[in-house]
Amino acid sequence: MSTPAHEPTDRGIRIGIDTGGTFTDVVAFDHATGRMVTTKTPSTPSNPADGFLAGIDKVLGLLEGASYDDVAAVSHGTTVATNQLLEGKVDALGFITTEGYEAMLEIARQSVPDGYGNSYFWVKPDRIVPRHLVKGVGGRLDFTGAEVRPLDEDAARTVGRWFRDKGINTLAVCFLHAYANPAHEERMREILLEEHPEAIVSVSSEVLREYREYERSMTTLVDAAVKPRLSAYVNNIKARLAEGAGRQVPFYVMKSNGGVLSADEVVHQPITTVLSGPAAGALGAALIAQNAGFDKVLTSDGGGTSTDVSVVIDGEPTLTTEGSVGVYPSKIPMIDVVTVGAGGGSIAHLSPEGTLKVGPQSAGADPGPICYGKGGSEVTITDAHVFLGRIPPHLLGGEIPLDVDAAQRGIEDLAAKLGLTPEACAVGILEISAWNQANALRQVTVKRGLDVRDFALTTFGGSGSLLLCRLVDILGVPTVLVPPNPGNVSAFGLLTVDVKNDYVQTHVTLHDQLDPNAITAVIDDLTEQARVALTKEGFAPEQHGFARTADVRYFGQAFEVRVAVPDGPLDEAACDEVARRFHAEHKALYGYDFSGDDSQQVEWVNLRVSGIGPIQRPEIRRVEPTGADPARGSRQVCFDPDQGYVDTPLLWRTDLAPGTEIDGPAIIEEFGSTVPLHPGFAARIDDFGNIIVTRKDDAR
């Protein structure tokens, strides 16, 4: 007797889906059998939900007898918010702030971005809201939250009607010192919805309850900007999932902070998804690398459009609140990811000076590289790889044939303009891409006081492992780990993450003037907010976890260091422990501290609590040999333009038994990815099926 469509079975299949610019990656974990399967399907940029549902159908087809009835939950990493901001596709926004502060966005900050040696050459980017769509409303709070002047409700109604008459339906509200008291902002929202019922409103006291008006304003504006599109996207997928299953399927969306949140809640916090996909990849790679015995890891996630890199220490990716997406600062907790426009679809082109450049423009999924045969006319990194023989003349195990001849013609045309041989041109394209990726990895290490040579590099994503040998040479990293199914690591990461919500409250106090009772009261309030959210997400009280941190600095500094706050009662000893941890962390980050200098005061700035609802993680199992011969013949491959093409053995990865050792040159292929092993490099397969790559003279 079959199970009714509206009742889930006990099979408990959990699915992770990561939608990228070129492919949608899918992983399904069957709790009943412990089996995990992976697949990929082309992304559908015109309607990403189509690729999403196609991926679910495809992965269920790989699990014998599985159907929508067996799906217990779906977790999703989305680039909807990220791409909207990177591409600058921000619809008309209105901004409402405290009267007299209407020029806040124009003033912004004095800092000039890296790469501009002199501020004379830098032009501030256009504001996210033009000046004529900024309105001030009277009323004032002081920094403690006490009311200095009441909110001018008549002016508030006038502003609401003005935006209604202009047809501006997306609004952000940020009043001075609203982090200390949200009353004025909440009343402003009530008035707006009375005067302009169609308005979508974000208020800073809900988005970011933290001081620094410019960053809080920008974060609230970004939240408002992505809310309409992300809400429509998430609700569309939720509805189509319910239609396919005949019931509401639990649907979670990845957040930038390394947690997930239900679709019902994420539409109210859209800014938390801005680094959704990259965060999942960093977490998945962290778990795989730690399981393989590596505690200090650099992750490099190469896709069709970009490469995302991050640092993982002891299994935990580094978090930051100083991130940005494109030109928009977003001061929310996010995994510290640096993104560079160096993916498989990145376009090679000539600069006005006649030099070769690669990216950040991308051919994406449609029309894609020339070799896709879908109308692409510009040479990409993928075209260079296929021309040099480093990837096979097809993708996804033969599902997508590639037009090698078309790629060759494109590279020959570009090479002629540069006065190079086609091979030198193609290798040059890949060399520039490798240096772009290496520079991104330096940003997350060298610029932060870390020695890149102390880390293992984990490469994944569909294109992430194609240049790993060059990255070893450029950076000097001793080891590279390539996980099984590297193109699906981000989707796998979605099955490893807990539900997580962050809460923050500014509480600026010198350490020697701290009142432990006041600190306890703030943390207790934040903990209660987190507890309510976890209960709403369906977690029983005994499952609730809470992580407490504080942002601390030396008095007079402009930026803070985040340190853990001890569990238990916050007495004087616990507060002193926070200061001790701050001194140690400051020294680790900057090379010095003032722990022995009583003239340098420690100052607490923000208190934070993260509420964590744990999920059951899939077990990473040891690989059993298939007994099949991994050899798949050979192919002519060019690693060095001076050496030309050399006959190179092809190996099928899933048939490589644990303990197998390989000397380069060799090409290791699998369903969704390829690893070119250059001459002078060696690889071995560990017990979990990871490829461990080293230079031959470094191989152990």
Side-chain angles (χ1 to χ4, degrees):
M1 180 176 171
S2 62
T3 305
H6 60 276
E7 292 182 10
T9 69
D10 293 330
R11 189 164 177 179
I13 295 174
R14 289 175 51 233
I15 298 175
I17 300 185
D18 178 51
T19 300
T22 308
F23 289 106
T24 294
D25 305 326
V26 193
V27 173
F29 179 66
D30 188 342
H31 279 278
T33 64
R35 187 177 174 214
M36 188 159 59
V37 297
T38 65
T39 191
K40 298 168 84 76
T41 188
S43 294
T44 51
S46 59
N47 186 353
D50 292 340
F52 183 100
L53 272 299
I56 289 185
D57 291 338
K58 192 172 181 181
V59 82
L60 288 176
L62 296 174
L63 288 168
E64 187 177 345
S67 71
Y68 271 99
D69 296 354
D70 305 310
V71 178
V74 177
S75 295
H76 181 37
T78 173
T79 56
V80 168
T82 313
N83 291 345
Q84 183 183 349
L85 296 171
L86 289 175
E87 295 166 12
K89 294 179 179 176
V90 175
D91 298 328
L93 287 173
F95 180 44
I96 301 165
T97 189
T98 301
E99 187 177 48
Y101 285 80
E102 293 89 347
M104 183 192 308
L105 301 180
E106 277 69 33
I107 296 169
R109 292 290 177 213
Q110 292 180 346
S111 57
V112 174
D114 287 347
Y116 293 88
N118 187 319
S119 60
Y120 176 82
F121 297 102
W122 179 63
V123 178
K124 280 186 180 181
D126 291 337
R127 303 294 92 190
I128 191 171
V129 178
R131 184 66 179 79
H132 70 279
L133 295 181
V134 178
K135 294 293 178 183
V137 174
R140 186 68 180 268
L141 304 170
D142 69 12
F143 72 97
T144 68
E147 187 174 81
V148 177
R149 289 195 304 276
L151 182 70
D152 185 342
E153 296 202 0
D154 290 337
R157 292 188 183 279
T158 300
V159 165
R161 289 192 290 268
W162 188 89
F163 281 118
R164 180 197 65 199
D165 295 342
K166 291 285 185 183
I168 306 296
N169 297 331
T170 307
L171 305 173
V173 179
C174 183
F175 288 149
L176 206 63
H177 303 307
Y179 59 85
N181 180 357
H184 281 191
E185 286 193 348
E186 290 173 353
R187 180 57 184 149
M188 183 74 221
R189 177 167 54 187
E190 291 172 0
I191 291 170
L192 284 172
L193 296 180
E194 289 170 11
E195 299 293 341
H196 188 2
E198 294 183 9
I200 296 170
V201 183
S202 291
V203 298
S204 75
S205 50
E206 288 186 356
V207 175
L208 184 70
R209 203 159 177 179
E210 188 177 329
Y211 86 155
R212 292 196 172 105
E213 306 309 314
Y214 171 66
E215 284 78 6
R216 185 155 50 90
S217 296
M218 283 298 299
T219 305
T220 307
L221 283 160
V222 169
D223 183 80
V226 301
K227 192 174 282 184
R229 195 172 299 189
L230 186 80
S231 298
Y233 172 75
V234 168
N235 288 330
N236 179 26
I237 288 180
K238 182 182 167 188
R240 290 180 65 174
L241 269 175
E243 182 183 335
R247 61 183 169 88
Q248 289 295 333
V249 176
F251 179 38
Y252 296 95
V253 178
M254 183 75 197
K255 297 170 65 180
S256 311
N257 67 354
V260 291
L261 192 62
S262 69
D264 291 336
E265 291 299 313
V266 85
V267 295
H268 302 302
Q269 312 175 27
I271 193 172
T272 62
T273 71
V274 292
L275 284 178
S276 179
L283 285 160
L287 185 64
I288 291 167
Q290 189 174 40
N291 188 70
F294 297 97
D295 292 328
K296 298 180 74 174
V297 179
L298 302 176
T299 72
S300 181
D301 178 3
T305 306
S306 61
T307 296
D308 307 305
V309 304
S310 65
V311 175
V312 177
I313 298 176
D314 295 330
E316 294 292 330
T318 308
L319 285 171
T320 183
T321 55
E322 305 297 332
S324 62
V325 183
V327 297
Y328 306 119
S330 299
K331 198 171 168 59
I332 57 165
M334 58 177 72
I335 289 178
D336 195 358
V337 173
V338 171
T339 299
V340 61
S346 295
I347 293 170
H349 57 99
L350 295 181
S351 71
E353 298 78 26
T355 58
L356 180 62
K357 300 282 187 182
V358 180
Q361 300 86 358
S362 174
D366 190 9
I370 295 174
C371 60
Y372 277 23
K374 293 166 64 178
S377 59
E378 297 180 286
V379 172
T380 67
I381 290 172
T382 299
D383 293 313
H385 279 298
V386 74
F387 169 71
L388 294 170
R390 299 189 190 181
I391 62 175
H394 54 74
L395 299 178
L396 304 189
E399 285 186 30
I400 301 176
L402 299 179
D403 189 339
V404 181
D405 293 338
Q408 179 175 339
R409 289 192 296 272
I411 287 172
E412 285 173 346
D413 290 344
L414 183 60
K417 294 174 184 175
L418 290 163
L420 298 172
T421 65
E423 290 76 17
C425 176
V427 169
I429 290 169
L430 301 185
E431 187 72 2
I432 292 170
S433 180
W435 279 89
N436 287 341
Q437 292 179 31
N439 288 336
L441 287 159
R442 285 193 174 110
Q443 281 190 53
V444 294
T445 52
V446 177
K447 287 191 174 182
R448 291 164 198 182
L450 302 171
D451 189 337
V452 68
R453 295 167 297 183
D454 294 337
F455 290 79
L457 175 63
T458 300
T459 60
F460 56 99
S463 68
S465 304
L466 290 169
L467 297 172
L468 67 82
C469 291
R470 286 300 299 133
L471 291 174
V472 169
D473 286 338
I474 295 168
L475 293 169
V477 291
T479 308
V480 182
L481 180 150
V482 185
N485 299 305
N488 294 73
V489 168
S490 291
F492 166 75
L494 290 162
L495 301 181
T496 72
V497 296
D498 300 320
V499 171
K500 187 177 179 186
N501 266 314
D502 299 305
Y503 300 90
V504 60
Q505 177 68 63
T506 292
H507 189 87
V508 182
T509 315
L510 289 171
H511 181 73
D512 58 9
Q513 296 174 10
L514 274 184
D515 176 0
N517 293 327
I519 296 289
T520 299
V522 174
I523 285 188
D524 285 350
D525 178 60
L526 296 174
T527 303
E528 182 57 28
Q529 293 179 51
R531 193 188 317 279
V532 169
L534 288 173
T535 302
K536 203 171 180 180
E537 292 278 353
F539 290 95
E542 62 272 14
Q543 295 177 295
H544 294 182
F546 303 99
R548 313 189 300 186
T549 57
D551 297 344
V552 188
R553 66 187 178 192
Y554 291 117
F555 180 72
Q557 285 184 325
F559 297 98
E560 300 80 44
V561 174
R562 184 174 306 176
V563 293
V565 173
D567 294 331
L570 273 175
D571 53 16
E572 190 173 333
C575 292
D576 287 342
E577 173 62 16
V578 171
R580 188 197 66 75
R581 292 177 180 181
F582 163 67
H583 290 306
E585 187 66 19
H586 193 281
K587 185 165 187 177
L589 283 171
Y590 303 113
Y592 70 95
D593 69 88
F594 293 120
S595 56
D597 186 347
D598 293 337
S599 68
Q600 298 289 339
Q601 300 181 79
V602 172
E603 185 174 44
W604 294 46
V605 178
N606 299 310
L607 299 169
R608 301 178 185 272
V609 172
S610 296
I612 302 166
I615 57 93
Q616 182 181 351
R617 288 174 172 79
E619 179 187 355
I620 299 176
R621 296 184 170 185
R622 295 179 184 273
V623 172
E624 295 296 329
T626 64
D629 184 359
R632 291 291 190 274
S634 63
R635 182 168 65 235
Q636 292 292 306
V637 181
C638 178
F639 295 100
D640 183 332
D642 294 333
Q643 304 279 333
Y645 287 83
V646 294
D647 194 48
T648 304
L650 306 178
L651 302 170
W652 190 247
R653 177 172 182 176
T654 53
D655 292 331
L656 291 168
T660 301
E661 297 189 357
I662 305 155
D663 282 342
I667 302 291
I668 304 171
E669 296 179 354
E670 59 184 304
F671 172 75
S673 186
T674 301
V675 178
L677 194 65
H678 289 222
F681 285 81
R684 64 179 173 84
I685 310 301
D686 74 2
D687 291 345
F688 301 97
N690 300 303
I691 302 174
I692 310 297
V693 179
T694 55
R695 265 211 158 276
K696 277 187 187 175
D697 47 7
D698 298 330
R700 289 183 292 276

